[in-house]
């Protein structure tokens, strides 16, 4: 069974957001072992300089790298990444499983994104849209799409 891990900077605080995410995480248990690692973003001033942002991204990179299991296929979630349909994501997950990698990691950065180091070490730069979404919503949307992808692969009724 594939292990799917979300590494996210920030936590879901609102009960309705937690409930929504938990529902898809629970549904995913039929297809994979799902885990979520919530990391605390580095605190920045109200109007951070580029240097302050760069230093925060360096610290966040270390936290992220410490949580990535060995032999993982890594998706870096970034706006400049490639967009895919639900069917294409489903096929990508199938291809990863067939390649022998049983750990898949999706990384959602802080409000300033991910460092170039994380993007460069990733196997796939993934964008859900050209639009910008709040991190909490992106996390729920990504979890739903992962569930949809597995449902498509298993000929489930969820995807229409």
């Amino acid at each position: 069974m594939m292990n799917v891990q979300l590494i996210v900077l920030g936590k879901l605080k609102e009960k309705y957001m937690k409930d929504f995410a938990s529902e898809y995480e629970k549904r995913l248990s039929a297809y994979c072992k799902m885990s979520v690692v919530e990391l605390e973003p580095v605190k920045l001033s109200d109007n951070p300089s580029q240097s302050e942002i760069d230093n925060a991204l360096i610290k966040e990179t270390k936290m992220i790298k410490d949580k990535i299991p060995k032999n993982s296929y890594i998706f870096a979630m970034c706006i400049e990444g490639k967009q895919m349909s639900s069917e294409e994501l489903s096929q990508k997950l199938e291809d990863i499983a067939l390649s022998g990698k049983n750990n898949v990691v999706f990384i959602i950065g802080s409000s300033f994104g991910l460092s170039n180091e994380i993007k460069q070490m990733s196997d796939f730069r993934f964008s859900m849209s050209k639009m910008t979404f709040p991190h909490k919503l992106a996390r729920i949307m990504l979890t739903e799409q992962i569930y949809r992808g597995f449902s498509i692969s298993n000929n489930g009724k969820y995807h229409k």
Side-chain angles (χ1 to χ4, degrees):
M1 184 175 272
M2 184 180 278
N3 297 306
V4 176
Q5 182 179 61
L6 263 61
I7 298 176
V8 297
L9 275 287
K11 297 181 184 211
L12 296 178
K13 295 176 184 157
E14 301 85 356
K15 182 179 178 340
Y16 68 94
M17 291 277 223
K18 287 180 185 178
D19 290 346
F20 203 44
S22 292
E23 177 61 27
Y24 287 109
E25 291 166 20
K26 181 178 78 177
R27 291 181 187 191
L28 274 163
S29 67
Y31 303 117
C32 66
K33 291 183 182 177
M34 177 74 176
S35 63
V36 178
V37 176
E38 294 179 326
L39 302 173
E40 190 65 37
V42 174
K43 301 276 189 235
L44 297 172
S45 64
D46 288 339
N47 190 17
S49 66
Q50 189 59 52
S51 175
E52 189 179 355
I53 294 167
D54 292 343
N55 287 332
L57 288 174
I58 289 168
K59 290 175 185 172
E60 290 172 353
T61 295
K62 180 174 178 359
M63 290 189 296
I64 291 167
K65 286 173 69 175
D66 287 346
K67 299 298 180 184
I68 299 172
K70 296 210 182 315
N71 194 33
S72 292
Y73 188 95
I74 302 169
F75 285 86
M77 303 303 295
C78 49
I79 195 131
E80 72 274 14
K82 182 178 190 253
Q83 295 179 29
M84 291 189 285
S85 67
S86 299
E87 293 84 359
E88 290 169 327
L89 177 60
S90 176
Q91 186 61 56
K92 185 82 168 162
L93 291 170
E94 282 185 40
D95 292 346
I96 294 166
L98 291 173
S99 77
K101 292 211 176 191
N102 64 349
N103 293 315
V104 176
V105 177
F106 292 85
I107 304 170
I108 301 176
S110 63
S111 60
F112 288 98
L114 295 169
S115 69
N116 284 332
E117 183 178 354
I118 294 293
K119 292 175 188 179
Q120 288 169 357
M121 69 181 278
S122 70
D123 296 290
F124 193 86
R125 294 179 191 188
F126 185 27
S127 173
M128 291 191 295
S129 173
K130 290 182 180 179
M131 294 184 275
T132 302
F133 297 103
H135 284 74
K136 294 173 186 179
L137 184 56
R139 173 178 163 179
I140 291 169
M141 290 169 49
L142 176 60
T143 306
E144 188 277 338
Q145 283 299 299
I146 295 167
Y147 172 70
R148 184 177 296 272
F150 278 108
S151 179
I152 291 168
S153 293
N154 289 278
N155 298 312
K157 295 179 181 178
Y158 182 76
H159 181 70
K160 294 177 175 85

